[in-house]
Every structure is written in C-alpha cells, then in structure tokens.
Amino acid sequence: MSSDMESIYLAIVLAPLAGSLIAGLFGKLIGRSGAHWVTIIGVGISSVLSMYAFKDLMFDGGEIFNRSIYTWLTTGGISFEIGFMVDQLTVTMMVVVSFVSWMIHIYTIGYMHDDPGYQRFFSYISLFTFAMLMLVMSNNFLQLFFGWEAVGLVSYLLIGFWFKRESAIFANLKAFLVNRIGDFGFLLGIAAVLMTFNTLDYNQVFAMAPDYANSTISIISGTDWSLMSVICICLFIGAMGKSAQVPLHVWLPDSMEGPTPISALIHAATMVTAGIFMVARMSPLFELSETALTFVLVIGSITAFFMGLLGLVQNDIKRVVAYSTLSQLGYMTVALGVSAYSAAIFHLVTHAFFKALLFLAAGSVIMAMHHEQDMRKMGGLYRYMPITWVTSLIGSLALIGFPGTAGFYSKDAIIEAVHHSSLPFANWAYIAVLSGVFITALYSFRLFFLVFHGKERMDRNTWEHLKESPAVVTVPLSVLAIPSVILGVFLIGPMLFGDYFTAAIHVQANHDVLGVLGEDYHGVWSFTLHAFQAAPVYLALTGVAVAWLLYIKFPEIPAKIANRFKWIHQILINKYGLDDFNQLVFAGGARKTGSLLWQIGDVKIIDGVIVDGTASAIRWFSGKIRNIQTGHLYDYAFTMIIGLLLLLAVFVHHILG
C-alpha cells in the first residue's frame, strides 16, 4: 500500500508539471484549446488524487507517509534528498491548493479568452501549482527551499505576464526583490538548522530540537543569543516576505498588475499561504522560543490592523481585495504567534475558498466593465450580473465573519485564542484583531455597495454591453461559493478541538490556548449561538451598516470626511509612506550605488584604465617603435652593427667572468 501511495503522490506533483511543460513547449502545436485542456486535466488529476489521499489518511486509517524518493547529493556525511511527508497538515494543503487551482484554471478559459499569451499563461499557472505542491509535500528543508524559490520565480513571471506594461514590469521586479530580502533570512535559518543538527530532514530536526532549547549562539562577539530564537526568527523573516507581513508586504498590492486569475491563485491558495504553512510545520521549533512567538504575534497584529485601514481608501476593485488579503494574513500570523497553529491553518483553508471567490468575482465584474477596475465608475451591477452579485455577497459575508459562514468560525476562533493568550503584547494584538473586524466589514461592503448597488456610474457604451459572464466563469464562482458557506461547520470541531492535527502540529501545554477554548466548546451550533453574545459579530454588522449609510444612503458624506480629516486620509493614500521610503532609500539607494560603481568601476577603471589605458599604452609604444622603421638601408645596417657590438660585449663579459 505504501508503494501505491508513493506512486499517487508522485502523480499529484508531476501531473501539473507535465501539463505545464506540454503547454509551454508545444503551445503552438496543440493550440489554445489544447493548452487549456492539458493543464486543466493535469491539475484535475492532482486535485482528485489529493482528495483520495485525504480520504485514505483521514477516514480509512491510512498511515502518515514519510519517505525520500531519491538522493540528489551526498557530501560531508549529509544527504540532500527529495522526498514527501504527507500527514494531516500536508494533505489538507494538497486538497486546498489543487482544488482552488483547478477552479482557477477553468475560470481562466473565459477571462483570458482573447489574450495572445493564452498558452503561456496556462503553462505558468500549472507550473505554479506544481511548485506549491512540492513545497507543502516536502519532508526536508532542501525541498522546502526549492518549492519556496519556485513559487517566487513563477509569481515573478505571472505578475509581469503583460510584460509590455511598464507597471507590470515594475510590479514583478518589486515582488522579486522584496522576496529576496525575506528569502535571505530564510536561507540563514536553514543554514543555522544544518549547522546545528547536521541534517535537513524534518523529523530528525524536530526530534533533536528539545536538546537545544537552552543553547545559545554568539552572533556578535560577547553577546549570546538563544539559538532557537535565531533559527525561528530567521525562518519567519522568510515567511514575512512570502506571506506579505509588514514591512515586507509592499509587493503584494502591486501584484494586481497580473491577470485576475493569478491574483486569485497567489492570494488564495499558493504563494502567500506558504509562509503560514511553513511556520505551522515548524511548530516544534517555534514552541521552544517565546521570543520568536512574540515577534510573530507583533508583526501579525500590525499587519492585520494597519493593512486593513488601507483597504478603506482604495478605489481599484482588485486592490481592495488585495489589502483584505494582507489583513487576513495578519490574522493567520497572529494565530501562529499565540500557538494557535490549527486556527491559523483553519483560517488559511476557509480564506482560500472565499478569497478565490472574491477575486474571481472581481474578475467577472472587470470583464463585464471592459477591464475597468475603478469602483467609482461602477454601480447597480446586480441587475445585470445576478450570479456574480450573489457569489460576491457570499464571499463578502465569509470575509467579515458573518455567523454561519466559513470565515466566521475560523476568524472568531483566532480572536478568542488571542484573547486567552498570556504572551507579552497579546492584549494589544487582541485590540488590533477585534478592531479589524469592523474595518474588514466596512471596506468589504464599501466595495460591494459601490459595485453592485446605488447609482449606475459607468459610461453609456459599457452600460449597453453589460451582461453576466459566461459559464466558464460563473460555474467556478458557484462551486467556490459552496465551501465558503459550509466548510466551517464541518471543520471547526475536528480541526480546532479534535485530534485532526495532533500528529502534525506540536504545542506545549503552557501555550495551548485552543485547549483552553476547547473546554467550553459544546458543538458547532452552540459556538454559533455564543457568537451573538460577543463583540465581533456586532462590530461586523456595524461595519456593514456604516458602509450602507456612507455609500448608499448618504454618498456625499465620505468626501466630506476625507476633507475634514485630510491629513489622515493622505497618510492612508500614501500607504504610511512605506512605498515612498522603499523607493527613495532602498530602490533609490541601490540605483545610486549601482551608478557609482558603474562610474568608478566600469567607466574609470575597466574602460578608462584597463581597456582605454591598454590601448593608449600600445598606441604610444607602437608610435615609438614605428620611428625605427625608416625604410633606409644604412639605418638597418647601423642597427645590425650596434646589435653585433652588444652581443660581442656580452660574449666578452661571459668569457672574462
């Protein structure tokens, strides 16, 4: 049975890769329909087999799989291997990644219908799926790093897919460079793991980790640092880049320059969730450092609150959804910081479905509006796009945590977990995530009301051609809407308060906030009813009511508020100045440093001294030598006589010596 499962796991990762290679290398030969069929079938195979693996492990009593497939390199007694570890955490991620990607592949047929890069796009998104599956299925740090860098590379290709746009090239370069900062920290963390444990295998590292709980390392002479804190913080810096946590978040809003399907794939199921998954996977290490956990908690709470505020002033429909992703990733990170890893993964799962739904619904609107993305030029679309309207409503309700939706159970669990944490700064984090509920509801329904309700503000040509999107768009929307509603009901019990993640996630008893919450858990319906006695539900409803008042009932008020508090509004418009700071200091500094090195190194030293200097020296020397070549016989005879006299002098000196 184990060998059969190995073949299944290989098929899960290789099927999307095969589809990607065929579409990418033979796209012209197989045509547009061939490209989408081969990639959709490949990801479909991966999705179906992932569901089978989930069933085998969760319901049929299958064993956790942990085996190396082959050894890539052995040196110095260390083996660098490619292998799979499929436990409850892994198989959950496999299902989410492959299924959401599958729906996005189908949706792409409609969205990219007229794009000249059709085959190339399908090749890229299938390759993205392969990279993410390799990441989540790895059983060692080497393969984790391969998947980590692969999703970064493919995201670069996809964000800059429309490479003739300067804004797209700027965005993909920004994403690539910002992630290099995070990945440098990540690589240092992996190097520290290898240095300490002399292996990159997860299980071996986790087994030995408690022995190093009190070990220190001297990075600066005379200063001792906790070894586990250094390892975990370095690893988390990598997560800050991939999962877009402050201050390494600046690339994510600009990733909207890519086509909408890739926005959905990056934000919902692949790249940005990689950091959350990685920290959950490394729970045996993070549990040994309260310093690292506190660092994670603080970064997550800052991201959840302050990135949510930025969503209030965005007018691009995709950027509002992008900032909501930043905020929700902050919620997941906060959960990781208080050791509620299961709650973080639970929210990751529910968020994957309703965020993919929201992005694809936004794409449906953009298609109907002839690629107009400014919400101020929309309005009243519910009359023309009923399926997009209702699926957007479902996604928005799940995002704000409306009772009964999937997002309600996962977000409420995070808020309660933070409330019960005893870590430093947990009280501040609780205020941040609680305030974020109102902010999320306000920007989510600002978008919903501006786009689907109120006065129709589009131009006449757009208005005359408004219609619902084709079935290849609306069917994936409808399919994703179902888990966005019901998934939380089925998963909250086993994931948060059962033994779902017992073998995959390790929490010390003094950090077990979910265990404390579980003592008062009496079933899903009791949990739902109890929510009406707590603040988050009423904060969410207040946010919806305020959005209705400001954007439907009294639409003139927002402009007055912006004028009245102009300085605050300008801070939000400028994104707290972080983008400007990065452009001025880091990007500008890098350009100036490069220019200086070019002027000194290239122009003056290489061109001036080495190239031009050599040419000048040869020219001078040859000019002098040329004077010897007169063409007169007596000059040459004189030279020969002088030469003979010199040879004679040397000979005489040798004889006498």
Side-chain angles (χ1 to χ4, degrees):
M1 182 62 181
S2 180
S3 60
D4 292 339
M5 293 309 297
E6 180 178 318
S7 300
I8 288 173
Y9 297 141
L10 281 170
I12 287 171
V13 295
L14 294 179
L17 177 62
S20 173
L21 292 174
I22 293 170
L25 298 177
F26 307 104
K28 290 185 178 180
L29 183 65
I30 63 177
R32 295 164 73 88
S33 61
H36 71 235
W37 275 114
V38 73
T39 51
I40 288 172
I41 289 171
V43 176
I45 290 170
S46 182
S47 182
V48 171
L49 291 179
S50 294
M51 293 176 191
Y52 174 79
F54 182 87
K55 173 180 174 293
D56 175 71
L57 187 61
M58 304 306 299
F59 298 106
D60 296 343
E63 296 181 356
I64 293 173
F65 183 92
N66 185 12
R67 182 182 300 174
S68 293
I69 305 302
Y70 73 92
T71 300
W72 177 62
L73 175 69
T74 300
T75 181
I78 303 170
S79 292
F80 299 93
E81 300 173 331
I82 302 299
F84 301 138
M85 181 166 75
V86 182
D87 55 14
Q88 293 85 348
L89 176 59
T90 303
V91 81
T92 301
M93 292 295 296
M94 288 161 57
V95 171
V96 171
V97 169
S98 59
F99 182 76
V100 172
S101 177
W102 194 17
M103 292 299 101
I104 291 171
H105 274 68
I106 296 170
Y107 173 96
T108 300
I109 296 173
Y111 192 87
M112 301 292 288
H113 183 266
D114 299 321
D115 197 284
Y118 192 81
Q119 293 98 313
R120 179 166 57 93
F121 188 80
F122 273 98
S123 176
Y124 286 172
I125 59 174
S126 193
L127 184 62
F128 206 1
T129 308
F130 157 75
M132 188 64 184
L133 287 169
M134 284 291 285
L135 188 157
V136 300
M137 294 175 68
S138 61
N139 71 346
N140 62 82
F141 286 90
L142 172 69
Q143 187 173 327
L144 174 70
F145 189 70
F146 166 79
W148 197 266
E149 293 303 307
V151 293
L153 171 62
V154 185
S155 70
Y156 168 82
L157 297 173
L158 284 162
I159 294 168
F161 180 79
W162 287 320
F163 54 83
K164 292 184 180 180
R165 297 182 183 178
E166 287 190 17
S167 57
I169 296 302
F170 176 83
N172 74 347
L173 187 61
K174 187 175 184 178
F176 194 80
L177 292 177
V178 170
N179 273 278
R180 296 289 68 73
I181 297 171
D183 292 355
F184 180 67
F186 189 58
L187 192 58
L188 288 177
I190 293 176
V193 167
L194 182 60
M195 179 187 73
T196 303
F197 302 102
N198 203 41
T199 180
L200 294 175
D201 182 85
Y202 287 164
N203 278 354
Q204 293 182 38
V205 170
F206 297 160
M208 291 186 282
D211 297 336
Y212 293 87
N214 298 317
S215 298
T216 59
I217 184 172
S218 180
I219 299 175
I220 301 172
S221 180
T223 304
D224 290 332
W225 297 56
S226 164
L227 174 62
M228 297 313 301
S229 294
V230 170
I231 290 174
C232 291
I233 290 174
C234 285
L235 292 175
F236 180 67
I237 289 171
M240 288 169 65
K242 281 290 180 290
S243 293
Q245 298 297 289
V246 173
L248 301 182
H249 68 285
V250 292
W251 67 271
L252 192 60
D254 288 345
S255 70
M256 298 300 99
E257 290 295 332
T260 297
I262 193 52
S263 300
L265 195 56
I266 288 177
H267 286 242
T270 54
M271 185 166 167
V272 297
T273 61
I276 307 300
F277 163 80
M278 184 274 293
V279 175
R281 172 60 76 202
M282 301 300 150
S283 60
L285 304 182
F286 278 83
E287 284 298 289
L288 299 174
S289 172
E290 285 203 359
T291 301
L293 289 174
T294 303
F295 181 70
V296 172
L297 175 65
V298 170
I299 294 295
S301 58
I302 291 172
T303 305
F305 180 73
F306 288 100
M307 294 303 105
L309 287 175
L310 296 184
L312 296 172
V313 297
Q314 301 299 312
N315 294 311
D316 184 309
I317 184 173
K318 285 173 62 177
R319 284 183 179 267
V320 175
V321 186
Y323 278 106
S324 85
T325 299
L326 283 171
S327 182
Q328 297 308 304
L329 288 167
Y331 275 85
M332 297 176 211
T333 304
V334 165
L336 296 171
V338 297
S339 298
Y341 306 98
S342 300
I345 298 300
F346 183 29
H347 196 50
L348 183 157
V349 171
T350 60
H351 177 265
F353 290 98
F354 65 71
K355 186 50 61 69
L357 175 62
L358 285 169
F359 263 114
L360 298 188
S364 178
V365 169
I366 292 167
M367 289 171 61
M369 294 292 298
H370 300 284
H371 292 275
E372 176 60 65
Q373 296 182 197
D374 192 331
M375 298 186 300
R376 294 170 295 185
K377 299 178 182 179
M378 300 179 188
L381 292 184
Y382 79 94
R383 300 182 183 91
Y384 311 98
M385 310 180 71
I387 298 176
T388 303
W389 171 74
V390 73
T391 51
S392 294
L393 177 60
I394 290 170
S396 298
L397 291 173
L399 175 60
I400 71 170
F402 188 80
T405 62
F408 159 73
Y409 296 103
S410 55
K411 183 184 272 188
D412 208 59
I414 290 174
I415 294 170
E416 287 301 312
V418 177
H419 195 200
H420 284 75
S421 175
S422 59
L423 276 182
F425 302 104
N427 290 336
W428 291 103
Y430 178 66
I431 294 171
V433 295
L434 198 59
S435 304
V437 174
F438 171 79
I439 296 167
T440 302
L442 182 54
Y443 67 65
S444 297
F445 275 84
R446 171 180 177 263
L447 180 154
F448 184 75
F449 290 139
L450 283 176
V451 172
F452 294 103
H453 293 274
K455 182 181 177 182
E456 296 174 5
R457 299 176 296 276
M458 67 286 295
D459 61 68
R460 184 171 182 81
N461 181 59
T462 302
W463 175 78
E464 288 175 348
H465 293 88
L466 279 176
K467 61 179 181 179
E468 183 60 273
S469 298
V472 289
V473 172
T474 56
V475 169
L477 287 177
S478 303
V479 172
L480 289 169
I482 296 170
S484 297
V485 175
I486 67 172
L487 200 60
V489 171
F490 295 101
L491 293 183
I492 182 172
M495 267 199 180
L496 294 189
F497 309 118
D499 57 359
Y500 191 101
F501 287 129
T502 301
I505 291 173
H506 302 275
V507 181
Q508 291 188 2
N510 60 324
H511 294 162
D512 193 9
V513 289
L514 290 179
V516 176
L517 290 179
E519 295 173 2
D520 296 323
Y521 178 74
H522 303 293
V524 64
W525 301 119
S526 174
F527 187 94
T528 306
L529 292 173
H530 180 266
F532 289 97
Q533 303 174 25
V537 168
Y538 296 102
L539 285 170
L541 294 176
T542 303
V544 174
V546 171
W548 180 81
L549 287 170
L550 292 179
Y551 299 100
I552 299 296
K553 186 67 174 175
F554 306 109
E556 70 281 358
I557 291 181
K560 293 179 180 179
I561 294 174
N563 287 329
R564 178 68 179 82
F565 300 98
K566 198 168 186 177
W567 63 279
I568 297 177
H569 185 258
Q570 199 59 44
I571 288 173
L572 297 179
I573 290 291
N574 291 334
K575 308 167 194 172
Y576 309 115
L578 290 173
D579 272 20
D580 293 337
F581 178 80
N582 287 331
Q583 284 301 109
L584 180 66
V585 177
F586 294 114
R591 282 196 297 268
K592 288 179 181 178
T593 302
S595 177
L596 183 64
L597 292 173
W598 170 66
Q599 288 288 344
I600 295 175
D602 196 39
V603 175
K604 293 185 178 179
I605 297 177
I606 296 176
D607 287 346
V609 176
I610 299 176
V611 178
D612 294 343
T614 302
S616 298
I618 292 172
R619 186 165 53 249
W620 176 84
F621 184 71
S622 62
K624 297 300 181 183
I625 295 297
R626 187 170 59 245
N627 293 330
I628 299 174
Q629 306 295 326
T630 64
H632 298 138
L633 183 62
Y634 51 79
D635 285 335
Y636 298 146
F638 178 74
T639 302
M640 292 173 65
I641 292 170
I642 294 298
L644 287 171
L645 289 174
L646 288 173
L647 286 173
L648 181 62
V650 170
F651 178 74
V652 171
H653 176 73
H654 179 71
I655 294 297
L656 295 177

